[in-house]
């Protein structure tokens, strides 16, 4: 005999399931003959199914008897639960299979007053669930049950039978499993959006504070709309699977209103796919074949239902294979586009690892021929303003043809030039069009072809051109061709710009190192011929294949230094210059540069220029033997004017000079000119101390050139003040070096006076320029200078120094080698930066780093001991903090001028020691 243990209307709220589970545990208690956990599990699954798929309020009953506990869950829907085929992919339907394993029996009965009751009998004992796959419920007479529902529902609208045709069973099951997963995910999305879902499962019933209204309506349509048709299709598919049928012939009996529901359902699923693509649900986007299937069966169902409701003959329905064929026809033209997109993706990925222009060009052309099937491909880079140089080529291009077009002019008569000048892609669809538009190429190709050429442009910066040649005439319309080649060109241009920027930074770094080495060479001796010969040897082969330095002597240019990559040719070149001296009236070359003081730059040396410079045929032959390809002639200009020239020539290397090389060569020539003038000044002196002092002062002024007003985010100002006239010149020094992402500063003081102190200061500056540009760690910079300086110092000599680095983000580091601590002016306050002093340079310096960060407008002052050791007329030291207190006011130049004015006013005249000041202000862009 059974007794009612629980009879509860649990509703359809989101917390209905845990509420029902708690009631079961409380009602059965610990002494129940059945497993409370198993009953709770059955209740959980049946109530969940009713909440998700039923209608109206959900009622739960537990009847406890000798045969165990009977669980009954009632709702107002006539939609029957379906035990699915076992699947590892489906996220729904597993609960009903679990119920079937636990219960000794289960089923569905029509409920009094409408709806259904799903029941399950849990027998006494525990652990009744088995690991075997549950059999499908063969005893559940679905047709009889549906008939019973129909008898109870007197207000049902008329139904019509729709024949859809045959569909593969496996496809049908996988498609329906996907839809079930979508329903589950939308239901979870709605349930998780608000503390409770309203009981009425209308479209607004799934609305929440988090879900937007349009999405709430979509959720309701997918979950509840078109459910009768979906359930009928699912049952027929499962029945076919049980029978082992490979196909299902779908036949549905539905009311006319299912047509509108079907259209809404189809639109909702399309929206669900868009929602899934945005990664806002766990559900994957619908497979293409599933999309074709659902459009086919829903649209066919809609058309036939509406025809039947109108009393018309049903329209002929397309078969599912016909729909698949139509879909394939639409997809086929996209295959070529997909191949192009795949190439773009592959090229983009590979270009991330390509570091040089040549690597990038080879990557593009190789992929174009291998992956895209281009007959040949080429990447050209702009070489000067009027020519393109081939960076890479791949394919079956004839060697003779490639030899003709390895370097091509930028002219509208050639496809690459036309693309570059117009800024637009050039598309040539066949050989006839090629010959018509570019007659000069009429003999270049014998077979049919199509040609795509696009300029490589980034903003206003033109880099080169990309050329693709395909065998046969073009088979794709021109707009598609243009879009593809433009996109590929954009990807290539971005990679090229990155590589060129990296190359330019590397080149700038190398030039900085070179100038640092040149500074050491220029300061190593006061014998100017030795210095200039060393400079020429330094230039070759790093910058030029030939380097000639000429000075004006007795109104004639004389070669004082000559270097070549092949030393054996130097004697030959000397003999040539002696036999053919420079024509001082020449309108070009070294004589003209000497007259005007203006550099001459020949990115490419045409044959006409060589011919016009030749004195006779033999001279022309000898100059042609040089094989010159590019040339620079820069003046040697010092304080007294222009007195010589430096000529750099490239020949066999094929390098061509650009505007950056001109500026670099001019900088080197200025330094060399100062060295020559200093040497001349030294030689012209009588040996008196005053003369030596002037030479030393000139050298010191030359090596302590004022820094630029700004380097990167750092504004700069510097001052050097000599001591009283009767004191010897000292060795105070400063320097500023720019490196990627930072500015490095040096201030130092050489122990001692006179020329030796100046010479030591010059060595320190040269080594700093080299090490600061080359080494990443600031401590390593100090250690390298210390190591290389030791060979230049006498027994007890040393150099105190402070090295600082200000990075682009405002952070700074300071290494002190026995030097006074810098001053920081920040936020209206002035304070000393606490540093850890170590041994001076030359005595084994190994400094520690002090770090901090500058805000915009903060300033660092680096100074020598002439500031802290200045004395008042009564021999007491000046008040240091009163001197540097106003350091934060005014522009950097004004701040230093004010500091010096206060210092001179305090000491009442000249200083007793040299003084160097270097002020750096953090001023980001």
């Amino acid at each position: 005999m059974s007794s009612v243990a629980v009879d509860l209307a649990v509703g359809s709220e989101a917390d209905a399931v845990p509420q029902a589970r708690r009631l079961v545990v409380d009602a059965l208690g610990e002494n129940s003959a059945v497993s409370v956990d198993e009953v709770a599990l059955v209740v959980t699954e049946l109530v969940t199914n009713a909440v998700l798929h039923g209608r109206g309020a959900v009622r739960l009953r537990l009847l406890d008897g000798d045969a165990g506990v009977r669980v009954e869950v009632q709702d107002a829907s006539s939609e029957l639960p379906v035990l699915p085929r076992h699947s590892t992919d489906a996220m729904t339907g597993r609960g009903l299979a679990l119920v079937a394993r636990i219960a000794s029996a289960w089923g569905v009965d029509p409920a009094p007053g409408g709806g259904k009751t799903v029941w399950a009998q849990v027998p006494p004992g525990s652990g009744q669930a088995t690991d075997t796959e549950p059999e499908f419920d063969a005893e559940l007479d679905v047709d009889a049950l549906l008939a019973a529902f129909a008898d109870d529902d007197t207000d049902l609208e008329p139904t019509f039978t729709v024949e859809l045709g045959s569909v593969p069973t496996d496809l049908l099951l996988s498609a329906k499993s996907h839809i079930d997963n979508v329903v589950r995910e939308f239901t979870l999305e709605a349930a998780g959006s608000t503390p409770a879902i309203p009981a009425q499962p209308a479209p607004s019933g799934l609305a929440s504070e988090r879900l937007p209204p349009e999405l709430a309506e979509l959720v309701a349509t997918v979950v509840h709309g078109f459910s009768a048709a979906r359930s009928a299709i699912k049952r027929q598919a499962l029945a076919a699977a049980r029978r082992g049928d490979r196909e299902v012939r779908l036949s549905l009996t539905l009311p006319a209103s299912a047509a509108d529901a079907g259209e809404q359902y189809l639109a909702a699923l399309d929206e669900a796919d868009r929602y899934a693509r945005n990664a806002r649900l766990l559900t994957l986007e619908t497979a293409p074949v599933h999309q074709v299937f659902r459009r086919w069966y829903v649209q066919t169902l809609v058309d036939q239902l509406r025809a039947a409701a109108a009393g018309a003959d049903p329209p002929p329905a397309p078969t599912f294979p016909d729909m698949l064929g139509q879909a394939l026809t639409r997809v086929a033209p996209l295959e070529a586009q997909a191949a192009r997109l795949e190439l773009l993706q592959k090229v983009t990925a590979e270009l991330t690892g390509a570091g040089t222009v040549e690597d990038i060009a080879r990557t593009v052309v190789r992929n174009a021929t291998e992956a895209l099937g281009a007959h040949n491909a080429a990447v050209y880079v702009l070489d000067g303003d009027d020519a393109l140089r081939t960076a890479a080529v791949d394919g079956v291009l004839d060697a003779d043809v490639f030899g003709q077009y390895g370097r091509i002019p930028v002219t509208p008569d050639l496809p690459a030039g036309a693309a570059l000048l117009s800024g637009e892609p050039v598309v040539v669809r066949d050989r006839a069009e090629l010959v018509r538009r570019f007659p000069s190429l009429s003999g270049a190709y014998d077979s049919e072809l199509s040609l795509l050429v696009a300029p490589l442009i980034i903003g206003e910066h033109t880099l080169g051109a990309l050329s693709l040649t395909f065998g046969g005439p073009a088979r794709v319309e021109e707009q598609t061709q243009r879009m593809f080649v433009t996109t590929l060109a954009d990807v290539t241009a971005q990679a090229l710009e990155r590589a060129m920027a990296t190359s330019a930074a590397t080149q700038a770094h190398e030039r900085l190192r070179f100038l640092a080495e040149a500074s050491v060479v220029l300061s190593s001796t006061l014998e100017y011929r030795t210095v200039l010969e060393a400079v020429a040897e330094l230039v070759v082969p790093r910058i030029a294949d030939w380097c000639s330095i000429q000075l004006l002597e007795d109104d004639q240019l004389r070669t004082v230094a000559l270097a070549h990559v092949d030393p054996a040719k130097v004697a030959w070149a000397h003999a040539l210059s002696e036999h053919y001296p420079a024509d001082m009236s020449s309108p070009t070359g070294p004589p003209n540069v000497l007259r005007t003081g203006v550099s001459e730059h020949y990115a490419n040396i045409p044959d006409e220029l060589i011919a016009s410079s030749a004195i006779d045929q033999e001279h022309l032959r000898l100059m042609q033997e040089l094989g010159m390809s590019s040339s620079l002639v820069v003046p040697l200009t010092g304080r007294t004017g222009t007195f010589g020239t430096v000529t750099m020539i490239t020949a066999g290397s094929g390098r061509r000079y650009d505007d950056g090389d001109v500026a670099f060569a001019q900088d080197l020539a200025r330094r060399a000119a100062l060295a020559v003038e200093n040497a001349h000044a030294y030689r012209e002196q009588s040996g008196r101390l005053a003369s030596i002092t002037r030479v030393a002062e000139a050298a010191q002024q030359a090596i302590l050139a004022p820094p630029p007003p700004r380097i990167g985010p750092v504004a700069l100002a510097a001052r050097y003040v000599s001591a009283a006239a009767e004191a010897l010149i000292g060795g105070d020094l400063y320097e500023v070096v720019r490196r990627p992402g930072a500015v490095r500063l040096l201030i130092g003081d050489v122990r001692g006076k006179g020329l030796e102190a100046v010479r030591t200061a010059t060595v320190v500056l040269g080594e700093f320029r080299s090490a600061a540009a080359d080494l990443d760690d600031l401590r390593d910079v100090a250690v390298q200078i210390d190591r290389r300086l030791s060979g230049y110092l006498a027994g007890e000599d040393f150099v105190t120094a402070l090295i600082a680095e200000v990075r682009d983000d405002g952070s700074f580091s300071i290494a002190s080698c026995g030097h006074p601590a810098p001053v920081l002016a920040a936020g209206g306050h002035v304070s000393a930066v606490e540093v850890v002093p170590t041994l001076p340079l030359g005595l084994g310096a190994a400094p520690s780093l002090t770090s901090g960060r500058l805000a915009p407008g903060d300033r660092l002052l680096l100074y020598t001991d002439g500031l802290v050791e200045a004395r008042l007329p009564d021999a007491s030291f000046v008040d240091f903090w009163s001197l540097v207190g106003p350091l934060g006011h005014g522009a950097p130049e004004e701040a230093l001028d004010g500091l010096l004015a206060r210092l001179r006013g305090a000491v009442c005249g000249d200083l007793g020691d040299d003084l160097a000041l270097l002020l750096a202000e953090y001023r980001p862009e």
Side-chain angles (χ1 to χ4, degrees):
M1 180 175 182
S2 300
S3 62
V4 176
V6 173
D7 188 350
L8 175 70
V10 296
S12 59
E13 293 80 1
D15 62 347
V17 175
Q19 179 186 1
R21 189 166 51 243
R22 286 194 299 270
L23 288 172
V24 169
V25 174
D26 292 342
L28 295 180
E30 298 179 356
N31 299 320
S32 176
V34 300
S35 169
V36 176
D37 290 339
E38 289 184 354
V39 175
L41 185 57
V42 170
V43 168
T44 297
E45 297 301 336
L46 295 185
V47 173
T48 299
N49 194 63
V51 170
L52 295 183
H53 304 296
R55 282 191 292 119
V58 176
R59 192 171 194 87
L60 167 66
R61 293 187 185 89
L62 293 184
L63 291 90
D64 194 1
D66 296 337
V69 174
R70 178 183 173 94
V71 179
E72 295 182 354
V73 177
Q74 179 184 344
D75 70 86
S77 170
S78 60
E79 183 176 344
L80 303 181
V82 179
L83 185 63
R85 186 176 64 168
H86 177 68
S87 170
T88 58
D89 299 328
M91 294 185 288
T92 64
R94 298 175 184 175
L96 195 56
L98 186 60
V99 169
R101 287 178 174 173
I102 293 174
S104 59
W106 72 280
V108 184
D109 296 332
K116 66 179 181 295
T117 297
V118 182
W119 58 269
Q121 186 74 32
V122 181
S126 61
Q128 298 297 320
T130 67
D131 293 332
T132 59
E133 181 69 21
E135 294 294 333
F136 287 93
D137 186 13
E139 297 181 358
L140 186 61
D141 191 339
V142 176
D143 294 333
L145 195 58
L146 290 176
F149 286 134
D151 291 341
D152 292 338
D153 293 329
T154 57
D155 296 331
L156 289 178
E157 58 180 304
T159 59
F160 304 91
T161 299
V162 176
E163 300 291 340
L164 296 180
S166 297
V167 180
T169 303
D170 288 341
L171 169 65
L172 193 58
L173 290 173
S174 63
K176 298 315 297 177
S177 175
H178 173 78
I179 296 301
D180 287 343
N181 292 344
V182 172
V183 170
R184 174 185 181 273
E185 288 300 310
F186 271 133
T187 304
L188 293 177
E189 178 78 358
S193 303
T194 184
I197 301 177
Q200 180 62 33
S204 61
L206 286 172
S208 70
E209 296 179 0
R210 185 163 68 89
L211 286 175
E214 64 276 9
L215 183 56
E217 183 176 352
L218 182 151
V219 170
T221 301
V222 172
V223 172
H224 296 289
F226 210 51
S227 59
R230 289 194 291 112
S231 296
I233 291 175
K234 185 188 299 185
R235 288 192 186 88
Q236 293 180 47
L238 290 170
R242 288 196 296 270
R243 294 190 302 267
D245 296 343
R246 298 183 62 182
E247 290 189 341
V248 182
R249 186 168 186 83
L250 294 176
S251 177
L252 306 177
T253 300
L254 300 168
S257 60
D260 292 339
E263 289 183 333
Q264 295 170 7
Y265 174 71
L266 193 60
L269 285 180
D270 288 341
E271 181 62 27
D273 282 344
R274 287 189 288 271
Y275 197 61
R277 281 195 297 270
N278 291 332
R280 300 175 68 181
L281 288 178
L282 296 176
T283 307
L284 298 178
E285 183 182 355
T286 307
V289 67
H290 294 175
Q291 293 178 343
V292 174
F293 165 68
R294 78 187 184 203
R295 291 195 182 99
W296 165 75
Y297 94 79
V298 174
Q299 192 59 54
T300 302
L301 181 150
V302 169
D303 294 342
Q304 294 203 22
L305 276 180
R306 286 182 174 159
D313 293 334
T319 65
F320 181 60
D322 288 342
M323 290 293 291
L324 282 178
Q326 294 174 18
L328 181 61
T329 301
R330 291 191 298 270
V331 170
L334 301 178
E335 290 185 350
Q337 182 177 352
R340 286 169 166 76
L341 292 175
E342 184 179 356
L343 171 66
L344 290 173
Q345 183 179 13
K346 186 171 183 289
V347 168
T348 302
E350 292 189 16
L351 287 181
T352 59
T356 67
V357 170
E358 288 70 23
D359 288 342
I360 291 167
R362 283 193 294 268
T363 297
V364 172
V365 298
R366 185 188 72 252
N367 278 283
T369 54
E370 292 180 358
L372 199 61
H375 192 67
N376 57 68
V379 171
Y380 302 96
V381 293
L382 200 60
D383 191 5
D385 295 330
D386 57 354
L388 288 166
R389 172 179 60 84
T390 303
V393 65
D394 193 48
V396 293
L397 186 65
D398 184 84
D400 294 336
V401 174
F402 176 65
Q404 297 176 27
Y405 300 103
R407 189 171 187 276
I408 59 177
V410 177
T411 168
D413 297 330
L414 293 173
L420 216 60
L421 293 172
S422 67
E424 296 292 335
V426 171
V427 179
V428 179
R429 300 189 60 81
D430 52 39
R431 186 175 180 275
E433 183 182 352
L434 178 72
V435 173
R436 184 179 70 255
R437 294 175 60 181
F438 305 102
S440 62
L441 296 179
S442 58
Y445 302 95
D446 297 330
S447 57
E448 192 57 78
L449 80 159
S450 62
L451 184 66
L452 305 178
V453 183
L456 302 175
I457 300 175
I458 294 291
E460 300 297 324
H461 190 196
T462 300
L463 306 178
L466 168 67
S467 174
L468 304 177
T469 306
F470 296 89
R475 295 183 295 273
V476 182
E477 53 92 14
E478 183 170 330
Q479 184 60 29
T480 299
Q481 299 273 41
R482 283 177 173 270
M483 290 178 61
F484 164 69
V485 73
T486 299
T487 305
L488 181 58
D490 287 345
V491 170
T492 305
Q494 291 172 22
L496 285 176
E497 185 182 45
R498 183 194 73 239
M500 290 178 176
T502 302
S503 176
T506 302
Q507 188 178 49
H509 175 70
E510 289 299 322
R511 287 172 176 171
L512 193 59
R513 288 185 58 188
F514 178 86
L515 289 176
E517 293 182 30
S519 297
V520 174
V521 170
L522 290 171
S523 61
S524 62
T525 178
L526 290 174
E527 174 52 53
Y528 75 91
R529 284 183 177 268
T530 302
V531 169
L532 294 180
E533 288 173 357
V535 169
E537 294 290 343
L538 201 61
V539 167
V540 175
R542 294 166 63 178
I543 301 172
D545 299 320
W546 288 93
C547 180
S548 172
I549 302 178
Q550 297 174 291
L551 298 181
L552 183 64
E553 297 177 355
D554 300 328
D555 296 327
Q556 181 65 42
L557 278 173
R558 306 290 185 188
T559 301
V560 296
L562 181 64
H564 183 258
V565 290
D566 181 2
K569 291 188 176 182
V570 172
W572 171 83
H574 271 298
L576 179 64
S577 64
E578 289 294 330
H579 188 69
Y580 294 100
D583 180 4
M584 298 304 293
S585 63
S586 174
T588 60
N592 185 55
V593 172
L594 182 70
R595 286 193 303 271
T596 63
V598 178
S599 301
E600 291 185 3
H601 172 211
Y602 301 97
N604 300 289
I605 301 179
D607 294 338
E608 298 78 14
L609 180 62
I610 297 176
S612 64
S613 303
I615 296 175
D616 53 32
Q617 288 299 316
E618 178 62 15
H619 190 209
L620 174 62
R621 183 186 67 80
L622 292 174
M623 285 198 298
Q624 289 175 337
E625 284 187 11
L626 295 176
M628 297 181 291
S629 57
S630 187
S631 176
L632 283 176
V633 185
V634 295
L636 284 169
T637 303
R639 291 183 291 269
T640 60
T642 301
F643 53 83
T645 62
V646 178
T647 302
M648 302 179 190
I649 298 173
T650 63
S653 65
R655 172 178 174 171
R656 285 172 171 77
Y657 294 122
D658 56 24
D659 293 341
D661 294 310
V662 176
F664 168 68
Q666 289 173 339
D667 192 354
L668 177 63
R670 280 193 296 270
R671 295 171 186 248
L674 286 174
V676 171
E677 285 190 332
N678 291 337
H680 278 300
Y682 171 73
R683 292 179 61 189
E684 292 170 358
Q685 298 308 314
S686 63
R688 293 174 300 159
L689 179 61
S691 299
I692 296 175
T693 301
R694 285 196 296 273
V695 173
E697 185 174 4
Q700 191 167 42
Q701 293 290 350
I703 65 174
L704 293 182
R710 183 186 181 101
I711 298 179
V714 179
L716 297 163
R719 293 290 184 272
Y720 174 76
V721 181
S722 296
E726 64 269 22
L728 291 174
I729 298 300
D732 289 14
L733 56 96
Y734 62 81
E735 181 59 290
V736 181
V737 171
R738 174 65 164 165
R739 74 189 314 270
V743 177
R744 285 182 169 173
L745 308 99
L746 167 71
I747 196 149
D749 189 356
V750 179
R751 180 182 182 274
K753 302 289 183 181
L755 270 180
E756 283 302 318
V758 175
R759 177 175 176 272
T760 302
T762 304
V763 173
V764 172
L765 289 173
E767 293 297 341
F768 172 72
R769 292 173 187 132
S770 177
D774 193 38
L775 300 178
D776 294 331
D777 194 319
L778 206 62
R779 291 167 294 194
D780 293 342
V781 175
V783 171
Q784 178 165 309
I785 298 174
D786 175 87
R787 184 173 61 252
R788 296 189 176 179
L789 184 62
S790 59
Y792 294 90
L793 297 176
E796 297 182 358
D797 289 344
F798 59 84
V799 179
T800 68
L802 190 137
I803 305 173
E805 177 179 84
V806 180
R807 290 174 282 278
D808 291 354
D809 62 358
S811 62
F812 68 88
S813 298
I814 296 174
S816 175
C817 301
H819 199 82
V823 171
L824 172 64
H829 301 285
V830 177
S831 60
V833 178
E834 295 294 333
V835 296
V836 180
T838 59
L839 292 174
L841 298 176
L843 299 180
S848 301
L849 293 185
T850 298
S851 300
R853 182 173 295 275
L854 300 175
D858 289 354
R859 295 175 174 178
L860 280 174
L861 174 67
L862 283 61
Y863 56 92
T864 56
D865 58 10
L867 182 61
V868 293
E869 295 180 358
R871 293 180 180 269
L872 300 173
D874 63 358
S876 62
F877 290 110
V878 297
D879 184 354
F880 176 79
W881 293 108
S882 67
L883 295 177
V884 300
L887 193 62
H889 302 297
E893 297 281 346
E894 297 171 353
L896 290 189
D897 288 339
L899 191 156
L900 289 175
R902 291 189 294 276
L903 178 60
R904 289 192 175 100
V907 300
C908 299
D910 294 329
L911 306 180
D913 194 3
D914 293 350
L915 172 62
L917 302 171
L918 182 58
L919 182 63
E921 177 183 333
Y922 180 54
R923 192 184 297 171
E925 294 292 337

